[in-house]
Amino acid sequence: MMDTKPVFPASPGFLSGGGEMGALIRSHDWAATPLGSPESWPQALKTVVSLMLQARQPAYIAWGAEQISLYNDGYIPILGTKHPAGLGQPAPILWAEIWETLKPINAAVLAGEAQWFEDMPFALAGRDLNMSWFSCSYTPVRGDDDRVIGMFCIAQETTAKVLASRRIQAERERLARMYEQAPGFVALLEGPEHRFGLANPAYMQVIGHRDIIGKTIAEALPEVVGQGYVDLLNEVYGSGRALRLTAAKYTVRSLPGEPADERYVDFVYQPLTDVTGAVTGIFVEGYDVTDRVRAETHRRALVELGERIRDIVDPDELSFAAAEILGRTLEVSRAGYGTVDKAAETITIVRDWNAPGIQSIAGVLHFREYGSYIEDLKRGETAVIADADRDPRTAATADMLKGISAQAFINMPVTERGNLVALLFLNHATAREWREDELALVRGVAERTRTAVARLEAERELQALAVALEQQVAERGAEYDRVWRNSRDLLVIVGADGIFRAVNPAWTTILGHAPDEVVGRSFLEFIWPEDAALTQDGLDEAAAAHDLTNFENRYRHKDGTPRWISWHTSVEGDLVYAYGRHITAEKEAAVALAQAQDALRQSQKLEAVGQLTGGVAHDFNNLLTIIKSSTDLLRKPGLPDERRRRYVDAISDTVDRAARLTGQLLAFARRQALKPEVFDASDRIRAITDMLRTVVGSRIRIVVEMASEHCLIEADMSQFETALVNMVVNARDAMNGEGTLTVRVDEASGVPAIRGHRGGTGSFVAVSLTDTGAGIAPEELVRIFEPFFTTKEVGKGTGLGLSQVYGFAKQSGGDVAVESEVGRGTTFTLYLPRIDETVAAGETRNIPSGSAPEEGRGRRVLVVEDNFEVGRFSTQVLQDLGYETTWAANATEALTLLQGADDFDVVFSDVVMPGMSGIELGQEIRRRHPNLPVVLTSGYSHVLAEKGRHGFELLQKPYAAEELSRILRRLTGGRYSSR
């Protein structure tokens, strides 16, 4: 049987050639490896080995499960010092240093998946470089049974390329950083289409920060096409010659529909060439010189205006010249100058400058027909409108403005002594954002124009004055003589020594003295004696160049009666010139008027008291009707319990309503007994601020300023809030419902002298309310706290609000001050004594506490009440509640019973009693028996209203039995437990 297995020569043909590696492979002892002798290698291995040896590029084979390594001559440099020992080694050993990277790659290839990697880094041992880069192709090799039994790798080292690319990228980044820090703008345009490859931040600033990298200039900046810049780039690219331009205008429009922004640039287009000299791109470098160009343009405009002003003598022509220069410089549709009638809200335009195609608006225009911005002009503020459609001042009249080519405009007011007299205006037919440098130019032109117009008008007036001056001088002497002789007022020239130098004939008419009886004599011989010192002080002040105005004093008539004179003075040298108006009749009329007003106010007060009394009687009759009906029904026999409870509840509710009514009456009379408690004034104001905003309405802004925190005061919180509301309502009415109200809380080291009263020292909290209203006239300031006094219209106020504030402040140990200026506003300041925080905390801790039984049994109460019915009822109520009671009819009897202090746990006393009052009794008990609690009760007491509770517990009449028992249990808890 013939053996069909081929017989290989000593050097099989598939191993022929291959250079150094071919010889090494042929001489290698393959029998000692898992591959065995070459003659036994599978055909697939022979084929790929033959391909590897013949390949020009580096090639590598890993074969079998052990991945035995074979490679050609091109692969030797990759192995470095691992060659030639690497031949025949398993891949995990040959590539041990990078096996963690290669292992998953080889596994994927041996699983049948070809692999490709470009510029893959490897840290190979045996090489001079720490890191090398390769582009590799891994191909699986299948055997006769179609299973993958090896892999074939073609590798190309790219280390030099990668390092070169990195150097280029680093250089690019270095250049980019350099360009970013460059003072000017820089851009790189590549290719004939001028595609952006680079642009520094300065360049992005010029073009409006748009996305341009990778785009052609026509795509990125479409507006430059129509401005000719693309044509210039094409010329530079085609010719290879650089182009330099200065102050070139570039109109930027970042987004369609947005206003255009004009920029000015100095720049150079520098062509870039390759080694052959062919142009490959254009380097753009330059500077944004917009500010410089605009400043120079504006400077030239002002210079031109100055030159034109020198040659113009007509004010209207001068105004037109200014408008023309502004219009041309700022490239607007229209510019002009007009005089303003502030009262009629009109502008009169004699002549305006208009761009081609724009119609004149010369004539009289009414501001209100074009928007509400006239209010800005009246305040002396420039009206700047960028888009009439969008500005709230002009949105409703935008079509009117666009109809006169003024969708955007500047109206700059010209004022004289704070009064609006003229207007410099610029109109633009389309929307336009006005820059600050443009506004500055308009202001400069407006100021120079107004100054020049005023100069021309003054020159005209001066010329007219010079023409008539001689005639006026001739006439003036005669006029002065006639005025001196015919004046109905006193005219006098007096020296600083008080000696009359000259007087006019009116002295005879008013004072009965002929001029020759007065001249040469001292004023002291004619002055009313009580006014001598006052008049001497006035003369001294007038002689010191302090002119007197409405200086009033009395002179003695020749018949010995006084005459009131109101003087005005001026001084020249050592002589005082004065004229005096006879005001005796006015003084007498004022006195009569004041008396009539006092009578009227008294009548109004009596009428108000009558109305109040009638209303109180009506309300109390209603309440008494309920009580009377309920008591009558309770007497009916067999009344069901449910109806009995209903009538009892009706009586109780009616008593509560009556108590509230009497409380209101006492508050009106400033006789209410306050319930002081310690609270933070700042916190209370914060708490009621929202309520105050509701009171004043949405058009009044409330500003709260807390200059000091933790401002503790001891006062009746309810009355404090009522006082605030009364002052806020007063401020609201003074501002006519619109303005600003500032509420400020601060510390004060004392109370200033107010309304003739001496001030006080100590620590106070000052609550100030400042409004922006009409203010209060000085003659009314002294009366505003009087009950029923009001300056409001009939039906708008009772005159009791500020009276309540005054009463509350005085009762609380403080005061209220008011400062006002007519036309500027008013400040009310409420001063209340400040409480030290440690004292307040101590008072809180010292409140008696302790558990006590629910009933009063075992507690002994001394009841002090002068009224027989009330005393009997009180003792009965306390006995029903379980207390042991003793009744004293007056303070003297009570002190006698208290000689043994341990006989009683608490004293319950009325305040208003004959002889010693309840407060005086309580103070005496506190002195004699400091540990014996005292409870006071009252429905009305001027002592309580004026001086407070003096630290005693107060139970307001009428009171509930449960409320009385609760207070007694609380105060006697400790004494009861210790017995």
Side-chain angles (χ1 to χ4, degrees):
M1 190 173 186
M2 183 177 291
D3 187 358
T4 59
K5 186 176 182 179
V7 178
F8 290 93
S11 180
F14 72 89
L15 293 179
S16 61
E20 177 185 350
M21 286 309 301
L24 286 175
I25 292 173
R26 289 191 293 272
S27 63
H28 192 75
D29 183 11
W30 293 106
T33 69
L35 296 182
S37 62
E39 293 82 357
S40 63
W41 289 355
Q43 186 59 43
L45 177 57
K46 294 177 181 179
T47 300
V48 295
V49 170
S50 177
L51 289 173
M52 177 189 72
L53 292 175
Q54 302 303 318
R56 298 293 184 185
Q57 63 268 50
Y60 169 83
I61 297 172
W63 196 265
E66 296 80 2
Q67 300 185 40
I68 302 301
S69 301
L70 299 93
Y71 52 91
N72 64 0
D73 286 356
Y75 207 78
I76 292 174
I78 297 176
L79 291 172
T81 58
K82 293 182 181 181
H83 173 74
L87 183 64
Q89 283 188 348
I93 297 175
L94 178 63
W95 306 113
E97 71 275 15
I98 60 171
W99 184 244
E100 291 302 319
T101 302
L102 285 180
K103 183 177 179 180
I105 298 174
N106 290 5
V109 176
L110 293 175
E113 299 178 10
Q115 302 288 314
W116 163 256
F117 301 98
E118 186 173 4
D119 296 333
M120 188 171 184
F122 292 106
L124 298 178
R127 293 172 59 90
D128 294 335
L129 299 174
N130 292 330
M131 186 67 68
S132 304
W133 287 264
F134 298 90
S135 294
C136 307
S137 171
Y138 292 87
T139 304
V141 180
R142 297 180 182 275
D144 295 339
D145 57 0
D146 202 34
R147 288 186 306 104
V148 177
I149 56 175
M151 53 182 285
F152 181 65
C153 173
I154 298 297
Q156 182 67 45
E157 184 169 2
T158 59
T159 301
K161 184 193 77 172
V162 169
L163 294 178
S165 176
R166 290 191 172 187
R167 285 192 296 272
I168 293 172
Q169 182 62 29
E171 181 64 16
R172 276 182 173 270
E173 292 175 357
R174 186 184 70 81
L175 290 175
R177 288 193 299 272
M178 182 178 69
Y179 292 152
E180 287 178 0
Q181 299 170 15
F185 60 78
V186 173
L188 179 62
L189 302 174
E190 300 172 342
E193 294 181 338
H194 316 302
R195 192 175 300 276
F196 281 100
L198 178 147
N200 73 340
Y203 189 89
M204 300 299 289
Q205 176 73 27
V206 172
I207 64 167
H209 297 283
R210 284 178 276 181
D211 183 17
I212 62 173
I213 302 300
K215 297 180 181 179
T216 67
I217 191 167
E219 294 170 344
L221 308 175
E223 68 271 15
V224 304
V225 178
Q227 299 178 50
Y229 287 101
V230 174
D231 294 337
L232 294 176
L233 287 169
N234 291 336
E235 181 182 341
V236 172
Y237 196 91
S239 66
R241 293 191 298 272
L243 173 66
R244 183 181 299 274
L245 292 178
T246 59
K249 184 178 178 181
Y250 168 46
T251 302
V252 185
R253 193 183 301 274
S254 300
L255 293 173
E258 286 192 358
D261 182 20
E262 292 182 352
R263 314 297 298 175
Y264 294 89
V265 292
D266 292 347
F267 69 91
V268 60
Y269 286 160
Q270 179 65 48
L272 302 176
T273 59
D274 59 14
V275 293
T276 66
V279 177
T280 59
I282 297 176
F283 183 74
V284 182
E285 180 183 12
Y287 295 89
D288 186 339
V289 295
T290 303
D291 292 342
R292 185 194 73 194
V293 172
R294 289 173 178 168
E296 178 61 23
T297 302
H298 295 174
R299 187 192 66 80
R300 287 198 300 268
L302 292 175
V303 170
E304 181 184 358
L305 177 63
E307 294 174 349
R308 297 272 294 274
I309 286 175
R310 286 197 297 269
D311 300 329
I312 296 176
V313 295
D314 180 74
D316 293 336
E317 184 65 26
L318 190 151
S319 300
F320 175 77
E324 178 188 5
I325 292 171
L326 268 181
R328 285 190 286 99
T329 301
L330 299 182
E331 299 179 353
V332 297
S333 301
R334 178 188 300 110
Y337 186 91
T339 56
V340 173
D341 186 331
K342 184 176 178 181
E345 298 185 341
T346 61
I347 179 173
T348 301
I349 304 168
V350 176
R351 185 182 176 192
D352 54 1
W353 176 89
N354 297 275
I358 303 297
Q359 294 183 350
S360 171
I361 58 171
V364 178
L365 279 72
H366 293 265
F367 285 105
R368 292 289 179 184
E369 295 179 0
Y370 300 95
S372 62
Y373 56 89
I374 178 62
E375 300 300 334
D376 299 334
L377 302 178
K378 287 181 178 180
R379 292 191 296 270
E381 301 172 1
T382 300
V384 181
I385 306 295
D387 187 347
D389 285 325
R390 297 183 179 181
D391 196 291
R393 295 169 292 180
T394 56
T397 57
D399 291 340
M400 291 283 291
L401 288 164
K402 288 188 282 188
I404 60 170
S405 303
Q407 184 172 354
F409 62 84
I410 298 174
N411 279 3
M412 187 161 291
V414 178
T415 60
E416 286 184 358
R417 294 182 292 276
N419 193 36
L420 175 65
V421 296
L423 189 72
L424 181 64
F425 63 88
L426 278 75
N427 299 159
H428 203 64
T430 59
R432 169 173 177 165
E433 292 291 338
W434 302 98
R435 302 188 308 272
E436 183 55 40
D437 62 291
E438 294 175 327
L439 294 174
L441 175 63
V442 177
R443 278 192 292 269
V445 171
E447 292 170 1
R448 297 189 185 197
T449 301
R450 182 57 196 164
T451 301
V453 169
R455 176 179 55 81
L456 290 178
E457 292 174 347
E459 289 175 355
R460 286 184 173 184
E461 293 175 359
L462 184 60
Q463 291 172 357
L465 182 62
V467 171
L469 183 59
E470 186 175 350
Q471 179 182 356
Q472 292 177 3
V473 169
E475 295 174 351
R476 189 61 53 85
E479 290 177 359
Y480 285 158
D481 187 57
R482 285 193 298 272
V483 169
W484 182 267
R485 291 195 314 270
N486 300 325
S487 174
R488 297 181 181 180
D489 293 328
L490 299 179
L491 299 178
V492 61
I493 302 174
V494 63
D497 55 2
I499 304 300
F500 289 114
R501 303 299 198 268
V503 298
N504 70 334
W507 279 73
T508 303
T509 305
I510 297 175
L511 295 174
H513 298 286
D516 57 0
E517 296 175 347
V518 179
V519 175
R521 299 169 66 180
S522 171
F523 76 91
L524 293 173
E525 299 181 43
F526 304 93
I527 200 71
W528 194 255
E530 286 83 353
D531 292 352
L534 171 69
T535 305
Q536 182 64 64
D537 293 341
L539 177 61
D540 294 342
E541 189 169 349
H546 299 149
D547 294 346
L548 302 180
T549 301
N550 293 326
F551 177 83
E552 297 179 359
N553 63 1
R554 287 169 292 178
Y555 271 76
R556 187 177 62 253
H557 191 274
K558 197 169 185 178
D559 64 8
T561 58
R563 297 291 188 272
W564 279 97
I565 310 296
S566 176
W567 295 98
H568 294 256
T569 71
S570 63
V571 65
E572 185 173 339
D574 60 351
L575 296 178
V576 175
Y577 295 78
Y579 80 86
R581 187 167 58 87
H582 184 206
I583 60 170
T584 301
E586 296 178 13
K587 285 284 188 179
E588 293 172 349
V591 171
L593 177 61
Q595 292 173 346
Q597 288 175 337
D598 287 341
L600 175 61
R601 277 193 296 274
Q602 185 64 26
S603 174
Q604 291 173 336
K605 291 179 183 179
L606 292 174
E607 181 181 356
V609 170
Q611 293 173 350
L612 179 62
T613 304
V616 170
H618 175 269
D619 288 347
F620 264 105
N621 282 333
N622 289 338
L623 300 176
L624 292 173
T625 298
I626 297 174
I627 296 174
K628 176 61 176 174
S629 299
S630 298
T631 54
D632 289 344
L633 292 170
L634 286 171
R635 291 192 180 99
K636 294 177 65 177
L639 191 67
D641 290 342
E642 187 274 329
R643 294 185 64 186
R644 185 181 302 277
R645 284 193 300 273
R646 186 192 312 166
Y647 296 144
V648 171
D649 291 342
I651 294 173
S652 178
D653 293 342
T654 303
V655 170
D656 291 339
R657 290 169 57 193
R660 287 194 295 271
L661 179 57
T662 56
Q664 293 169 354
L665 292 173
L666 291 173
F668 168 78
R670 300 187 204 162
R671 293 294 186 266
Q672 73 273 32
L674 301 181
K675 296 182 179 178
E677 55 183 300
V678 177
F679 61 92
D680 191 323
S682 301
D683 289 344
R684 290 313 309 155
I685 290 175
R686 290 191 188 95
I688 68 171
T689 297
D690 288 341
M691 184 269 286
L692 296 181
R693 290 194 171 96
T694 302
V695 170
V696 301
S698 60
R699 294 191 301 161
I700 292 180
R701 185 169 68 98
I702 295 182
V703 178
V704 179
E705 298 177 353
M706 298 297 178
S708 298
E709 297 291 342
H710 305 300
C711 292
L712 297 180
I713 60 176
E714 184 177 15
D716 188 311
M717 186 184 301
S718 175
Q719 291 297 317
F720 175 74
E721 295 178 355
T722 300
L724 286 178
V725 170
N726 283 333
M727 290 190 288
V728 167
V729 169
N730 188 73
R732 177 198 66 191
D733 295 342
M735 292 186 286
N736 198 21
E738 182 174 4
T740 299
L741 176 62
T742 302
V743 182
R744 179 180 176 86
V745 180
D746 204 349
E747 299 177 12
S749 58
V751 178
I754 300 173
R755 293 176 295 279
H757 301 291
R758 294 182 58 187
T761 59
S763 182
F764 287 82
V765 174
V767 181
S768 301
L769 283 80
T770 302
D771 64 58
T772 56
I776 304 172
E779 62 272 15
E780 296 174 349
L781 268 179
V782 297
R783 305 185 56 205
I784 58 174
F785 294 114
E786 295 180 9
F788 303 102
F789 178 77
T790 179
T791 60
K792 302 171 186 176
E793 301 175 13
V794 176
K796 293 293 183 67
T798 63
L800 294 175
L802 294 181
S803 179
Q804 181 273 336
V805 177
Y806 177 78
F808 164 69
K810 284 295 188 179
Q811 285 184 252
S812 301
D815 210 333
V816 58
V818 57
E819 298 177 358
S820 185
E821 184 178 348
V822 175
R824 298 293 297 273
T826 303
T827 298
F828 283 89
T829 302
L830 180 62
Y831 292 94
L832 296 172
R834 185 176 184 183
I835 301 300
D836 185 82
E837 294 187 32
T838 56
V839 174
E843 290 178 355
T844 302
R845 289 191 297 270
N846 290 334
I847 295 175
S849 62
S851 60
E854 291 300 320
E855 299 299 330
R857 193 171 306 281
R859 294 178 178 79
R860 296 157 302 171
V861 182
L862 175 59
V863 178
V864 187
E865 173 61 62
D866 63 309
N867 185 283
F868 176 78
E869 295 296 335
V870 175
R872 185 178 63 178
F873 179 76
S874 299
T875 56
Q876 184 61 55
V877 167
L878 289 171
Q879 290 171 3
D880 291 344
L881 290 173
Y883 293 91
E884 297 178 7
T885 62
T886 301
W887 177 18
N890 52 57
T892 303
E893 183 179 345
L895 291 175
T896 302
L897 292 171
L898 284 171
Q899 290 178 357
D902 291 339
D903 292 341
F904 300 100
D905 295 304
V906 65
V907 176
F908 179 49
S909 173
D910 190 16
V911 173
V912 181
M913 295 184 297
M916 183 182 292
S917 71
I919 292 177
E920 293 169 336
L921 171 62
Q923 291 173 329
E924 183 63 22
I925 293 174
R926 181 182 289 170
R927 185 182 67 82
R928 297 184 185 184
H929 312 289
N931 295 322
L932 182 61
V934 176
V935 180
L936 300 179
T937 180
S938 178
Y940 163 80
S941 171
H942 69 282
V943 177
L944 284 173
E946 293 172 358
K947 299 182 179 180
R949 298 178 302 161
H950 295 268
F952 296 113
E953 286 288 340
L954 176 66
L955 188 61
Q956 292 280 7
K957 293 180 181 179
Y959 52 80
E962 293 82 357
E963 185 179 3
L964 170 61
S965 180
R966 183 171 61 253
I967 292 177
L968 294 178
R969 287 200 307 271
R970 175 164 60 84
L971 292 179
T972 60
R975 294 175 61 87
Y976 179 83
S977 61
S978 64
R979 287 174 50 197

